[in-house]
Amino acid sequence: MSIQLTKPKSLIDLSSSAILVNVRTTVWTGTQTDDEVSDEITALKNTDRDAGKFAKHLLAGDPQHKKLVNHRQTVRNWFKRRTYAWAGQWGILPVVNYPTFNEEYKALETKLIELREDFLNAYPNKVSDMAFKLNGMFRREDYPTVEELRNKFTMRLYTAEVPQGDFRVQIAHDLAEDLTNHFNKQAQSTIDNMLNQQVNQLVEVMQSISHTCGENVVEREDGSLKVTRGRLHTETLKKALAYCDTFKAFNPAGDTRLDAIRIELERVLTGVDMDELKKNDSTRAYVKAEVDDILSKFGFGN
């Protein structure tokens, strides 16, 4: 007996509202194992040759090279913030966020090229300097050419559709049921994880708004009170409204609580002027009270 599988609705929802993205970065670490020095050290310490290896830092902490290495981490942190985990290095991105994601990617790529070219322009002189710094450990063959290095500092963006599998193949009933369960569980697990992350994003930004709109009262030694206010950041409000826009269009779990939180937060923040929020105590108090009420209403209060 054979049966035709139907596509799980959860996968169809994801494939129409999101895409898979992967940003791969490469960087030259500037390290090289020196077998000769390793042998000298293990012989000096009278230990086995395989007990350790000596790694040379070919650029000895060069600041331009550090910026390139740090930029790779900046890209990774950005990618993690902008996507939801899918599998391995792939993340899932709401389609509604792709224009912003692509714009930010291009800016990061431009920054990489700028850092890379500045570094490569000075690279020959850096190698010459290292001949003196490394002295007897210097080996010219350890250093790639400028053109070789250009290909070692790269960023690449890859995109793919959310896979649905070929569910049109005629297969045995028991196998069809197993596959249907597998794909549904896989998709549902991803959606559940995304929902948790979406809720956490809203909660964190609301907690930040509440904190910065509040007051901290400290009693001085003379008995007088000192009142300090949190620092308000325009980016925090922008982030909150951006989450509201995204989750309005991207709620693959169809979660009513997420939608309710989003609607209430959007109601509170729509039309709020940042300058007025900074200057007007009553506006700050109103926003804080409303945000605290949302947090409490949905079980996230202190």
Side-chain angles (χ1 to χ4, degrees):
M1 177 181 177
S2 62
I3 190 170
Q4 187 173 5
L5 280 170
T6 58
K7 299 176 183 178
K9 183 178 183 299
S10 50
L11 279 176
I12 296 173
D13 289 343
L14 283 179
S15 65
S16 61
S17 62
I19 60 171
L20 298 183
V21 289
N22 182 11
V23 175
R24 297 179 187 175
T25 58
T26 62
V27 66
W28 180 60
T29 61
T31 58
Q32 178 70 40
T33 300
D34 192 314
D35 292 333
E36 183 178 337
V37 175
S38 298
D39 290 343
E40 290 177 5
I41 293 174
T42 52
L44 180 65
K45 295 296 183 179
N46 193 28
T47 187
D48 190 276
R49 288 187 63 195
D50 296 327
K53 295 291 183 182
F54 182 84
K56 295 185 294 188
H57 292 273
L58 301 177
L59 295 171
D62 176 76
Q64 287 183 310
H65 181 256
K66 279 187 175 180
K67 287 181 180 180
L68 279 164
V69 175
N70 291 340
H71 186 268
R72 175 178 62 174
Q73 190 59 49
T74 297
V75 172
R76 289 176 174 174
N77 293 341
W78 161 78
F79 184 82
K80 187 176 181 180
R81 288 195 310 270
R82 289 290 181 259
T83 64
Y84 300 93
W86 176 258
Q89 295 181 335
W90 288 89
I92 193 162
L93 176 72
V95 170
V96 67
N97 287 351
Y98 182 75
T100 300
F101 177 88
N102 194 45
E103 182 178 331
E104 292 174 344
Y105 170 83
K106 290 178 179 177
L108 287 167
E109 185 180 39
T110 298
K111 183 63 177 178
L112 169 67
I113 294 171
E114 175 188 318
L115 292 173
R116 181 184 67 193
E117 294 309 309
D118 286 346
F119 170 74
L120 293 180
N121 287 336
Y123 178 67
N125 289 333
K126 295 178 187 294
V127 175
S128 298
D129 291 342
M130 290 307 301
F132 295 98
K133 291 182 179 180
L134 289 177
N135 203 0
M137 290 194 298
F138 179 79
R139 300 287 184 276
R140 184 62 186 85
E141 59 270 21
D142 291 338
Y143 293 84
T145 66
V146 169
E147 285 308 311
E148 287 172 338
L149 273 184
R150 183 168 280 108
N151 294 324
K152 291 180 181 290
F153 294 103
T154 62
M155 277 180 65
R156 295 287 187 275
L157 171 61
Y158 299 89
T159 62
E161 294 181 349
V162 177
Q164 297 183 38
D166 185 358
F167 294 88
R168 294 164 295 185
V169 179
Q170 298 295 316
I171 55 178
H173 178 79
D174 55 348
L175 181 56
E177 186 174 357
D178 286 345
L179 283 176
T180 301
N181 291 336
H182 168 75
F183 280 106
N184 271 316
K185 286 179 180 178
Q186 175 180 297
Q188 193 58 52
S189 176
T190 298
I191 290 173
D192 289 344
N193 290 335
M194 281 192 293
L195 174 60
N196 288 335
Q197 188 174 343
Q198 286 176 305
V199 172
N200 288 337
Q201 286 171 331
L202 284 178
V203 170
E204 287 175 7
V205 78
M206 285 192 290
Q207 288 174 338
S208 178
I209 291 172
S210 174
H211 174 73
T212 54
C213 284
E215 295 181 344
N216 183 36
V217 181
V218 178
E219 184 176 356
R220 296 189 177 96
E221 292 182 0
D222 62 3
S224 62
L225 299 179
K226 178 183 179 182
V227 179
T228 58
R229 296 178 175 83
R231 291 188 59 187
L232 291 167
H233 298 281
T234 303
E235 288 304 313
T236 303
L237 289 184
K238 287 183 178 179
K239 181 190 294 184
L241 289 170
Y243 285 153
C244 290
D245 286 342
T246 297
F247 301 159
K248 183 177 182 179
F250 185 74
N251 182 2
D255 189 73
T256 55
R257 185 177 68 153
L258 175 67
D259 203 42
I261 297 172
R262 188 266 306 169
I263 290 172
E264 295 213 17
L265 180 59
E266 192 172 34
R267 171 186 60 79
V268 173
L269 298 183
T270 299
V272 170
D273 181 76
M274 190 64 184
D275 290 334
E276 182 184 0
L277 194 59
K278 289 181 177 180
K279 299 174 183 177
N280 193 315
D281 289 344
S282 61
T283 302
R284 291 166 68 103
Y286 164 77
V287 170
K288 175 175 172 55
E290 289 291 310
V291 168
D292 286 346
D293 183 62
I294 297 172
L295 288 169
S296 177
K297 181 178 179 179
F298 290 96
F300 302 107
N302 294 329

